[in-house]
Every structure is written in C-alpha cells, then in structure tokens.
Amino acid sequence: MKKQSFFHSLTPANRYVVGNLFFLYLIQGIYVIMIGSILPAMKVEYGLDYQAGGLLISAHSIGNMITGLAAGLLPLAFGLKRSLLMLNVLPFAGFAITLVTGTPWALVFALLLTGIGRGAVSNYNNQIVSTLSGGSAAPLNMLHGFFAIGAVLAPVLVLLCTHEDRGSWRWAVLTVIVLGVISMISSLFMKMDELPNPRSGSGSFGFLRNRRFLLSMSIMFFYLCVEASVMGWMVTYYADSGAVAVESAQLLTSMLWVVILAGRFICGALSGRIAPPRMILALCGGILVFLAVLLMSAGLIPMLVGTVGLGLALSGMYGTTVANAGSVFGEYPLAMGVFVTISSLGSVITPSLIGGIASHAGIRMGMAVLLVPAAAAFALAVWNWRVSSQEMGSRALES
C-alpha cells in the first residue's frame, strides 16, 4: 500500500493550519533577512557604527532567545492559538518603531520585539509541524523552505526600495508591516481543536536527560552562531570588504537564499534515505569548509564559491537537527521552548562579538571568529553520529 504524503494525511482543518504556518514562516523569512539588508542604509541615515549594528542584530537574537521558554509556557495557560496570535503582533510593532526614531536604544528595543515575535512563531511552527508529522524531517525542512523563500525575496525587496534613494528602505519596512497584518487576519481562521492540548500535557523537564536532545541543542547553538552572524552581516561583509557594491551585495545575499531554498528541498527529499545524524555530520562539515573558503578569499569568484557551498550546508540544519531529537518535542511541551532558548544564545553572543572586533580590526577579522563555532558544531556532529551508531548497534543486538 502506497504511503500517504504528509499533506494528504492531514485533516482539512490541520491542512489549513500547516498552510498558514508556512505562510507565517515565509513572512518571517522576509523580515528576519531584511534586518541585515537594511542595516547599511540604517547605519548611514542614523549614524550607527559597527558596534551599534552588531548590538541591533544581537537584540533581535536576544528577543528570539528570551521568548523560547515563555512561548513554551504560555500555551499551558492560553492555548496555542491565542499565544500565537498575541506574540505574532510584536515583530511588526518593532518595525514600526524603526520608522519613527533613530535613537540607538529605541532601535534596540524595536529589534528586541522583532526577535520575541520571531521566537514565538518559530517555536509554535516547529512544535506543531513536528507533532503532526510524527517528528519527520521532511515536513520540517519544507517548513524552513518557506522561510528561505521569504529570505530570497527580502534583499530583492530592499534593493527595489533603495535603488534610487537609501532613505526609502522605509518602504520595505512598510511592506513587511502590511504582510504582518495579513498574517494576523489569516491566523484567526486556524482551527486547532484537533491538535494535542498543551494545557493537558506534561510540564516536566524529563527531556533534559535525553542524550540525543542535549546533543541536538548543542549543535543548534553553534549552528546559530554561524547562521545569525552570516545573515546579519553578509551584506555589510561583502560591501565593506571591497568585493562588491552594496547593491550587488543585496543580490548576492538573495542568491545565497536561493541556494538555501534549493538545499532545504533537497534535504527534505533525502531525509527519508539518510538518517539525521549522518545528514548533520555532512552539513556541519560543509559549513566549516565553505565558511573557511568565504572568509579567507579576497577575490569575488572564490567568495561566490564559498557563499554557494555555505548556503547548501546551512540549508537543512534546522529541520534535520530538530528531527535528530526524535519524539521529544511531541512528548514534552516545554522541550521546544528550552531548545530555542538555550540554542539561541549562540545567535545573541556572536553578532555583537563580530561587531566589536570589526570596529577595531575590520569586518573580515570580525567574521573570522565564526570558524570557532563552525569547528565546534562539526565536532559535536561527529559525537552525535557515534552515539546514533551505538544506539543502532544496541537495538540490533536486542532484536
């Protein structure tokens, strides 16, 4: 008997829920990557230096981090739908603030709000899709594929808005706010009655004794060190290193996300044939190699090779790493919140560190810091693969 596809296995109500979550992730892809794309224009208009720029990127990541545990607890009191609706407003309120003030601390608060909303949507999207798919990596990679579609569109949107006048980055922000309003309306029609009720679930922290969960969270920590910094600083890195003009850097960032988009669908297709531990090992190895190529190259062509390779290696990491933890997220309502909170620390610390180093030694030296977390992620991926091999060997002996 032919196995049903993920979407065909869902009820109509759940199909709408998943489709809307994909739409929310597409919008999230636009506004998250747009932060890095508008940063050069904001730096010029508001007179920000590298350190302030790094602080803005980290403020977004701090919001993403602190909402992790709260997002896991709120559904216990209000349910998933109400929690999602409440927190999804915040990113667009934050972007509205960036339109009216250039005061650094006001901008930090604005980016903090965008991060809080992002963390909530990420938490609920991954939790719901993981639950409905039984922890399969393919639907999770498809979900993150929609983030990549939004990420592809973000630099193009900013480029269209800033082609003649750098101040018109504001039109890109206004477009995102309009999309946010549409997403709030579409979310009102989600029916989540068929989903497991978090209010009746276990509130325990038993998942902290699960070795695969701990390894997945640690790998995600170092992966996010790289991912958040690359996405936040890529346009600035290309432009300020002298490789290309700002406008071309926007297109290169869009190209990076085209590669990531293709990679996520490729990883989704391969996830049924390649186990998550082996896939993670290959992806982490690719991140380390191609990041080194990108950061150690002075010419445009090798930088492009590094960018394309890095995009492919980054592409399937999130969904595959979540799948690596198995059924933990379905069994423990708090697991996703803790996972997001702890792993997001990497995306908080590293962009600011890069900004601080870049202020004194240049952007290229600042970005070189990323080789450390890339190497750590690869080492943990090797450990995770060995643990998985041992578990498979033990099950084989038992049977």
Side-chain angles (χ1 to χ4, degrees):
M1 184 175 178
K2 188 177 179 181
K3 186 178 178 181
Q4 279 188 310
S5 69
F6 170 63
F7 278 102
H8 284 99
S9 68
L10 300 173
T11 64
N14 284 343
R15 208 170 293 153
Y16 180 84
V17 169
V18 170
N20 191 65
L21 296 184
F22 282 15
F23 176 57
L24 294 184
Y25 237 36
L26 184 145
I27 296 173
Q28 186 180 108
I30 294 175
Y31 74 70
V32 169
I33 303 308
M34 192 182 74
I35 293 171
S37 293
I38 66 174
L39 187 57
M42 289 182 70
K43 280 176 61 187
V44 171
E45 182 168 337
Y46 290 144
L48 306 174
D49 58 15
Y50 280 126
Q51 199 156 11
L55 189 58
L56 292 182
I57 298 170
S58 285
H60 174 82
S61 298
I62 289 170
N64 183 43
M65 179 193 69
I66 63 176
T67 196
L69 191 55
L73 292 171
L74 281 176
L76 299 175
F78 302 106
L80 273 173
K81 182 176 178 178
R82 288 181 182 176
S83 301
L84 178 59
L85 288 172
M86 287 188 295
L87 294 174
N88 189 44
V89 176
L90 299 182
F92 312 106
F95 278 111
I97 293 173
T98 68
L99 295 175
V100 297
T101 179
T103 305
W105 290 110
L107 292 175
V108 167
F109 176 68
L111 271 292
L112 186 72
L113 291 181
T114 66
I116 291 173
R118 176 196 179 178
V121 172
S122 294
N123 187 305
Y124 299 140
N125 279 11
N126 284 284
Q127 180 182 335
I128 293 169
V129 173
S130 180
T131 300
L132 290 175
S133 66
S136 172
L140 286 166
N141 277 313
M142 191 182 302
L143 170 68
H144 288 269
F146 276 82
F147 181 99
I149 293 172
V152 169
L153 297 174
V156 176
L157 172 64
V158 174
L159 185 60
L160 289 173
C161 293
T162 60
H163 183 61
E164 297 294 338
D165 175 14
R166 275 183 175 268
S168 60
W169 60 270
R170 297 168 181 275
W171 287 108
V173 173
L174 284 168
T175 302
V176 163
I177 292 172
V178 170
L179 289 172
V181 172
I182 295 171
S183 76
M184 293 170 209
I185 295 171
S186 67
S187 297
L188 290 171
F189 298 97
M190 292 192 298
K191 296 179 181 178
M192 295 186 168
D193 299 337
E194 299 175 23
L195 291 170
N197 184 0
R199 283 180 259 192
S200 62
S202 168
S204 74
F205 289 84
F207 54 89
L208 293 176
R209 296 189 296 271
N210 186 297
R211 187 162 53 167
R212 289 284 287 277
F213 173 82
L214 294 175
L215 278 168
S216 298
M217 186 168 62
S218 300
I219 292 169
M220 185 60 65
F221 171 88
F222 290 111
Y223 158 72
L224 288 176
C225 287
V226 177
E227 193 247 26
S229 300
V230 168
M231 301 315 163
W233 284 113
M234 180 62 77
V235 173
T236 304
Y237 174 72
Y238 264 118
D240 291 6
S241 64
V244 294
V246 173
E247 290 78 10
S248 299
Q250 300 282 13
L251 292 175
L252 288 172
T253 302
S254 189
M255 182 198 72
L256 170 65
W257 278 100
V258 169
V259 174
I260 291 176
L261 174 61
R264 283 184 174 166
F265 286 110
I266 291 169
C267 287
L270 293 176
S271 61
R273 305 175 188 177
I274 304 174
R278 186 172 293 181
M279 180 79 80
I280 290 170
L281 180 60
L283 293 174
C284 285
I287 289 172
L288 180 58
V289 170
F290 288 108
L291 181 64
V293 172
L294 175 61
L295 297 180
M296 295 179 182
S297 301
L300 180 58
I301 298 302
M303 288 178 75
L304 285 174
V305 172
T307 299
V308 171
L310 183 61
L312 288 172
L314 291 171
S315 63
M317 276 294 294
Y318 203 108
T320 307
T321 307
V322 169
N324 185 67
S327 60
V328 168
F329 298 114
E331 295 174 10
Y332 298 94
L334 297 179
M336 185 60 77
V338 172
F339 182 87
V340 171
T341 301
I342 301 300
S343 62
S344 295
L345 277 169
S347 60
V348 170
I349 298 167
T350 320
S352 285
L353 179 62
I354 290 172
I357 294 173
S359 293
H360 296 92
I363 188 66
R364 187 177 290 273
M365 189 62 69
M367 291 289 282
V369 169
L370 295 179
L371 292 172
V372 176
F378 179 70
L380 285 167
V382 173
W383 187 7
N384 179 66
W385 174 72
R386 293 185 65 181
V387 167
S388 171
S389 299
Q390 291 168 1
E391 289 175 354
M392 290 178 63
S394 298
R395 285 195 293 268
L397 287 174
E398 290 173 2
S399 60

